């Protein structure tokens, strides 16, 4: 268990949410997969009949909504995903002197966060990009965005799957409390669609693309009217193979297909559900207790957005009969699972209505396993 108690006086002063232009409904996704499966089964009928190949099973929009709560998702480009001859997005390669797609997404969210926090790039002295996948190893996406904004300071990328946002917010808090930065721009551009196997009915519906960003800074430097003071942060990781992506640059040396079986996102969703829900609820209960509160004192839970049934279960464990969509808002119906960005989207869309003095918790849980949370209080500045 890692527990971090920092001095008061660090705030999240603004967040930004950039939503991609394209949406895909469950029905559209299912039509593409079923057309693909029909053709695959027809073309491989003899091998399937002989037991050499397995038939591709069909997907169902009703299953998706019932099992996950997802109705639709945003993606950067839907055309290739819905083409049964392609079944993956088409994202043309860009030249080295053009902003890469993930940096472009992050930059859009970053500008919105800066505006909300009433900050200029010159007020920022560190940039952290946290995401489940990074478009390249180096130079860091964070440094590319730092360069595009003209920020003087340091920047780096980090990956902790679904907890990349909460863990990167925590690194911002650490940097500010240790004095290595005054104001940190945390950016979480989740470009998930290239890693989804859109021919696999178990996982084709789960993910969406999005970018979020947050300004974390010393309260005495904050220019916003109100902000969310960070009361405490908490992080935990426990190794699990139940959510894995084996896509790696080492595939070339291992003489294997980098996109072959098991190389894209895969999971044992049932096991994840069963193991992560109690871990997340216990983690959150412990965090609020360590801060001298009970879950009843928390006005809003901005929970990780992977599955509505998971969120309902965790909300029930925390709030009992007082659990409600108002206290634990859901955004995954519209955005799907946006990996690390989900809880920050919920915070961005469902925090302005709360009065000064309200308390809330941002929490992620997912691959690793990893759980990260930040307890917050709305303050007037
Ligand atoms: N249509 C019809 N039937 C289906 C479909 C479908 N699309 N998919 C599965 N089925 C079938 C199954 O094959 C199974 O059939 P059978 O009983 O014959 O074997 C039956 O329906 C039931 O399947 P499941 O048991 O798998 O169904 P569940 O009720 O468990 O629902 C879920 C599946 C929705 C995946 C659910 O288990 C879940 O959400 N679990 C939690 C998962 C979770 O939170 N994972 C976190 C992943 S994200 C993360 O950690 C970040 C990684 C970074 C990713 C970056 C982007 C790629």
């Amino acid at each position: 268990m890692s527990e971090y108690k920092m001095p008061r006086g660090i705030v999240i002063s603004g967040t930004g949410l950039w939503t991609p232009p394209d949406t895909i409904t469950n029905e559209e996704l299912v039509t593409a997969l079923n057309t693909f499966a029909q053709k695959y089964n027809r073309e491989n009928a003899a091998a399937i009949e002989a037991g050499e190949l397995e038939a591709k099973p069909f997907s169902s929009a009703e299953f998706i909504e019932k099992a996950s709560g997802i109705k639709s998702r945003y993606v950067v480009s839907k055309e290739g995903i819905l083409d049964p001859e392609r079944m993956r997005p088409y994202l043309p390669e860009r030249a080295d002197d053009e902003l890469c797609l993930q940096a472009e997404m992050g930059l859009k969210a970053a500008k919105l966060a800066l505006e909300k926090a009433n900050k200029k790039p010159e007020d920022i002295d560190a940039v952290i990009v946290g995401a489940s996948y990074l478009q390249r190893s180096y130079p860091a996406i964070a440094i590319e965005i730092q360069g595009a904004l003209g920020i003087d300071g340091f920047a780096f990328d980090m990956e902790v799957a679904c907890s990349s946002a909460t863990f990167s917010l925590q690194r911002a808090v650490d940097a500010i409390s240790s004095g290595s930065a005054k104001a940190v721009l945390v950016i979480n551009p989740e470009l998930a669609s290239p890693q989804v196997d859109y021919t696999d009915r178990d996982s084709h519906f789960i993910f969406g693309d999005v970018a979020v960003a947050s300004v974390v800074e010393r309260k005495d430097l904050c220019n916003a009217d109100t902000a969310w003071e960070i009361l405490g942060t908490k992080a935990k990781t426990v190794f699990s193979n139940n959510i894995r992506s084996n896509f790696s640059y080492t595939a070339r040396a291992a003489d294997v297909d980098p996109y072959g079986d098991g190389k894209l996102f895969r999971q044992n969703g049932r096991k994840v559900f069963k193991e992560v829900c109690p871990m997340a609820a216990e983690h959150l209960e412990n965090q609020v207790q360590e801060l001298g509160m009970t879950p009843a004192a928390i006005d809003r839970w901005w929970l990780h957005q992977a599955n509505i049934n998971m969120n309902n279960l965790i909300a029930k464990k925390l709030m009992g009969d007082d659990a409600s969509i108002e206290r634990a808002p859901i955004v995954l119906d519209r955005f799907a699972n946006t990996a690390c960005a989900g809880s920050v989207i919920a915070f961005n869309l469902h925090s302005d209505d709360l009065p000064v003095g309200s308390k809330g918790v941002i929490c992620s849980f997912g691959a690793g396993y990893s759980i990260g949370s930040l307890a917050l209080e709305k303050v007037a500045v």
Side-chain angles (χ1 to χ4, degrees):
M1 184 182 84
S2 98
E3 181 192 328
Y4 180 69
K5 288 205 175 84
M6 78 279 171
R8 296 286 292 266
I10 300 171
V11 295
I12 297 177
S13 49
T15 59
L17 164 64
W18 177 75
T19 307
D22 285 0
T23 54
I24 302 181
T25 63
N26 289 346
E27 288 72 19
E28 288 177 292
L29 208 57
V30 165
T31 301
L33 188 145
N34 290 353
T35 309
F36 169 85
Q38 233 162 12
K39 183 163 176 272
Y40 176 94
N41 293 344
R42 198 173 50 241
E43 286 172 358
N44 295 286
I48 292 167
E49 181 77 15
E52 291 155 17
L53 273 181
E54 275 191 33
K56 282 267 174 209
F58 296 117
S59 185
S60 125
E62 298 83 69
F63 170 87
I64 295 171
E65 190 172 337
K66 189 158 174 281
S68 70
I70 297 165
K71 296 178 183 164
S72 169
R73 71 279 299 138
Y74 294 95
V75 291
V76 171
S77 176
K78 71 190 277 186
E79 206 183 313
I81 295 171
L82 296 182
D83 176 358
E85 299 295 328
R86 183 173 173 86
M87 301 300 279
R88 61 188 191 279
Y90 178 59
L91 306 172
E93 192 153 65
R94 297 182 180 185
D96 287 357
D97 60 358
E98 289 178 276
L99 208 58
C100 80
L101 176 58
Q102 198 172 25
E104 181 184 299
M105 293 167 65
L107 185 60
K108 286 176 174 159
K111 285 180 175 168
L112 294 170
L114 287 169
E115 195 183 316
K116 178 88 178 170
N118 203 11
K119 287 273 140 179
K120 301 237 165 334
E122 51 267 36
D123 302 321
I124 304 293
D125 49 9
V127 180
I128 307 175
V129 162
S132 300
Y133 289 95
L134 293 164
Q135 205 176 338
R136 59 165 189 266
S137 300
Y138 49 84
I141 307 296
I143 303 177
E144 191 176 0
I145 299 175
Q146 176 197 4
L149 286 169
I151 288 171
D152 186 20
F154 65 91
F156 62 90
D157 292 345
M158 53 183 278
E159 272 180 336
V160 201
C162 284
S163 291
S164 301
T166 54
F167 277 42
S168 52
L169 286 165
Q170 294 183 3
R171 298 295 71 75
V173 171
D174 293 351
I176 295 167
S177 60
S178 72
S180 64
K182 294 192 292 292
V184 184
L185 187 54
V186 175
I187 309 171
N188 310 108
E190 284 290 15
L191 180 53
S193 57
Q195 256 287 302
V196 176
D197 181 354
Y198 287 101
T199 72
D200 170 34
R201 76 162 178 174
D202 290 334
S203 60
H204 76 127
F205 58 89
I206 297 180
F207 294 102
D209 300 328
V210 82
V212 292
S214 313
V215 174
V216 184
E217 62 178 328
R218 277 182 12 206
K219 189 179 169 189
D220 61 322
L221 301 175
C222 180
N223 293 331
D225 294 338
T226 59
W228 288 88
E229 184 158 3
I230 297 161
L231 305 177
T233 65
K234 194 172 175 71
K236 187 176 173 87
T237 49
V238 179
F239 185 70
S240 166
N241 272 321
N242 286 329
I243 313 169
R244 252 190 110 98
S245 165
N246 281 345
F247 176 78
S248 169
Y249 78 99
T250 59
R252 183 169 169 261
D255 296 328
V256 295
D257 175 1
Y259 312 104
D261 276 353
K263 299 293 189 235
L264 301 178
F265 167 87
R266 67 187 155 92
Q267 71 169 347
N268 185 337
R270 277 275 144 145
K271 275 202 169 152
V272 174
F273 197 113
K274 278 205 183 121
E275 292 174 4
V276 169
C277 286
M279 274 171 68
E282 191 190 345
H283 176 99
L284 290 166
E285 261 164 9
N286 287 343
Q287 177 169 36
V288 292
Q289 263 163 27
E290 281 157 17
L291 292 166
M293 299 184 284
T294 64
I298 303 301
D299 301 292
R300 199 148 291 169
W301 300 90
W302 299 287
L303 296 177
H304 183 60
Q305 303 282 321
N307 181 300
I308 198 168
N309 303 316
M310 270 177 124
N311 287 31
N312 287 343
L313 197 65
I314 293 168
K316 194 94 185 147
K317 277 181 194 261
L318 291 168
M319 295 176 268
D321 289 342
D322 291 336
S324 67
I325 201 102
E326 286 73 32
R327 285 183 71 196
I330 295 292
V331 302
L332 61 86
D333 53 345
R334 193 153 66 91
F335 285 87
N337 181 341
T338 49
C340 82
S343 52
V344 183
I345 300 175
F347 175 67
N348 174 282
L349 295 176
H350 299 283
S351 56
D352 281 351
D353 61 308
L354 291 170
V356 166
S358 303
K359 294 189 176 64
V361 178
I362 297 178
C363 177
S364 66
F365 35 87
Y369 296 134
S370 58
I371 306 182
S373 55
L374 297 98
L376 311 174
E377 179 175 346
K378 193 165 189 174
V379 290
V381 183

